[in-house]
Amino acid sequence: MQAVILVGGQGTRLRPLTSTVPKPVVQLVDRPFISFMLEWLAGHGVEDVIMSCGFLAEGVRRVLGDGSELGIRLRFVEEPEPRGTAGALKLAEPMLDERFLMLNGDVLTDLDISAQIAQHERTGARATLSLVPVADPSAYGVVVLDEDRAVRDFVEKPSAGTVDSNLISAGAYVLEREILDLVPAERNVSIEREVWPALVGDGLYGYPSQSYWLDIGTPARYLQGTFDIIEGNVQTALRERLGSDWLAVHESAQVLGRAIPPAVIERGVSIADGAHVGSLVVLAEDVSIGARSVVERAVILQGTQIGEGCELRDCIVAPGCRVGAGTRITGGAVLGEGVVVGADNVITRGARIFPGVDLPDHAIEF
C-alpha cells in the first residue's frame, strides 16, 4: 500500500517550536513527530510513503532520510508555492498507484486504517474519509452519513442541535487515483472544499471510528499528545519502553532527585538532589535539572539547563535553553530554541519567548 502525507504547512500555531525546526520533525517524546505516523502506517502494511513538503523541506528530508530504518520507502515532492491540499496531492500524481492513502501530517492517531481500506473495497468507493466524533461539533465541519455510510452532506460549524451528526474528518483518506481527474493542475485547490462536495452521491463514503485522534497544531495539543503517548492513551511503539512502571529512564541518566511516572528521562540527563520530576514529564538528551527544582506536566528538550529552585509546570522548553535559579515557567508558556532566562523571572499565561531571546535576572513577571 502507498500513502501521501501532506506536511507543507509552516506550523505557525506551534511557534516558537517551529521557528527553527520544520513541524514534521519537531521532537514529540523521543522521536520526530512524523515518525509516529510513519510507524503507524508501516504497521498497516504501507511500504511506500510520499511526503508532500513545502516550508523547510530540506530539513524534513535530512532528518527522515529514505525511510529504510522504518522498513519503508520514503520519497519527497516539494510545492513551488502553496497549492492547497488537493493541489499538493496533484504534484505527486506521477508517483501514485491506482489506490493510495492520503493523510494530514498534523495528526496523531491509532486509527485502524486496515479496516477503513476494507470498507472502501466493500462499498466500491472512490474515496473513503476517516471520521471521528467530537463532543462539540460547532467548531468544525461536520460530515453527515446515510445508513450505508455514503456521505450525504457537509455542514460547516453547525449550531447546537441543528445537525444529527458529530462526526468530523480525521484527515486520513483512502482514494482511487481517478479522483485526481477532478483536480486542475498548477493551482491552489482544496480537497475538502472543492473535491469532496463534487463526489457527494458519487462514490464518497465515511468510515466512523472511536480511535484516538488528535491534531497536534498548538502548544496545548502538543503537550496533550505527549501526555497521551506516555500514559498509553494512544497506541505507539513507546509503550514497550515505558514498561510496567510507566517510567523510561536511560541507563546513563543520573537521577538523584525523585522521578514520578509516567515520565521519559533520556540519555545524559542529570536530576540533582532534592529535585522533583513528574508526573507527565519528558526530559530529552543532556537536560539538567537543578537542586530543589520541580518539573511537572512539561517537556524539556535537548541540552537545556534548569537552575536551582525553579518551578516548571504545563510548559514546553525547546533545545539549548538556560533557565536561571528561582524562575517559574507555567501556564502553557513556551521557550524557543536557545532562549536564556535569568534568575527569578516568572513566565506564564501562554507566553511564547522566541529563539535567541536573552532575559536578564528579574526581567519579567508575565
Side-chain angles (χ1 to χ4, degrees):
M1 194 67 183
Q2 189 177 51
V4 179
I5 305 177
L6 305 186
V7 292
Q10 297 187 23
T12 53
R13 294 180 300 157
L14 202 53
R15 288 177 180 167
L17 295 181
T18 51
S19 296
T20 53
V21 178
K23 182 177 177 180
V25 294
V26 167
Q27 182 166 327
L28 183 65
V29 187
D30 65 343
R31 64 200 69 190
F33 163 62
I34 200 66
S35 294
F36 286 100
M37 176 169 282
L38 295 175
E39 291 164 1
W40 162 64
L41 290 171
H44 286 278
V46 174
E47 299 175 337
D48 184 14
V49 176
I50 300 161
M51 305 279 286
S52 179
C53 303
F55 183 67
L56 297 178
E58 184 53 39
V60 178
R61 191 195 309 266
R62 185 171 58 251
V63 172
L64 296 179
D66 63 3
S68 56
E69 291 186 5
L70 294 170
I72 60 174
R73 179 190 189 191
L74 190 57
R75 296 181 285 169
F76 298 83
V77 294
E78 297 182 26
E79 295 177 278
E81 68 279 326
R83 292 280 179 90
T85 48
L89 179 63
K90 187 75 171 179
L91 288 172
E93 185 173 15
M95 307 162 75
L96 294 176
D97 296 335
E98 291 304 310
R99 177 179 296 158
F100 58 91
L101 305 174
M102 175 182 173
L103 304 118
N104 180 341
D106 295 342
V107 170
L108 177 67
T109 186
D110 55 13
L111 175 78
D112 188 349
I113 200 78
S114 297
Q116 182 177 343
I117 294 169
Q119 178 191 297
H120 180 88
E121 293 176 344
R122 286 195 308 272
T123 59
R126 301 173 72 190
T128 301
L129 322 181
S130 61
L131 307 173
V132 291
V134 293
D136 179 11
S138 62
Y140 300 91
V142 172
V143 183
V144 183
L145 301 180
D146 289 328
E147 289 186 7
D148 64 354
R149 296 189 172 180
V151 174
R152 184 198 313 160
D153 198 7
F154 294 94
V155 182
E156 186 67 24
K157 298 181 180 179
S159 302
T162 60
V163 176
D164 187 23
S165 175
N166 66 342
L167 296 173
I168 66 168
S169 173
Y173 317 125
V174 186
L175 305 179
E176 298 298 309
R177 195 175 190 274
E178 66 187 63
I179 75 150
L180 289 168
D181 296 340
L182 302 174
V183 183
E186 298 184 2
R187 75 171 181 86
N188 191 309
V189 185
S190 166
I191 203 163
E192 298 84 1
R193 293 182 176 85
E194 298 177 61
V195 177
W196 299 156
L199 286 174
V200 171
D202 190 18
L204 183 63
Y205 286 76
Y207 174 74
S209 171
Q210 295 292 329
S211 298
Y212 179 93
W213 176 85
L214 185 69
D215 176 357
I216 307 286
T218 65
R221 290 179 180 174
Y222 172 93
L223 280 176
Q224 186 61 58
T226 299
F227 303 155
D228 286 340
I229 290 168
I230 64 177
E231 286 186 302
N233 296 329
V234 54
Q235 297 301 310
T236 71
L238 186 72
R239 176 66 190 89
E240 182 177 348
R241 193 179 158 210
L242 286 163
S244 59
D245 59 358
W246 297 93
L247 190 61
V249 181
H250 193 273
E251 60 185 11
S252 68
Q254 184 178 34
V255 182
L256 301 180
R258 297 184 64 198
I260 311 299
V264 175
I265 298 170
E266 296 288 12
R267 176 186 294 107
V269 166
S270 172
I271 301 174
D273 188 31
H276 176 114
V277 170
S279 64
L280 296 173
V281 164
V282 172
L283 303 183
E285 294 85 351
D286 300 319
V287 164
S288 64
I289 307 296
R292 303 182 308 283
S293 288
V294 176
V295 183
E296 297 177 338
R297 296 180 57 85
V299 175
I300 316 297
L301 294 176
Q302 296 91 333
T304 285
Q305 301 171 19
I306 308 299
E308 297 184 357
C310 293
E311 176 187 345
L312 287 86
R313 288 188 169 93
D314 296 287
C315 65
I316 307 166
V317 182
C321 293
R322 299 204 308 274
V323 177
T327 285
R328 295 172 55 214
I329 304 174
T330 62
V334 186
L335 303 191
E337 186 171 353
V339 166
V340 177
V341 181
D344 299 312
N345 283 286
V346 177
I347 301 172
T348 188
R349 299 180 188 175
R352 304 189 189 195
I353 311 299
F354 278 71
V357 170
D358 190 336
L359 297 174
D361 297 350
H362 310 285
I364 187 170
E365 290 189 9
F366 192 87

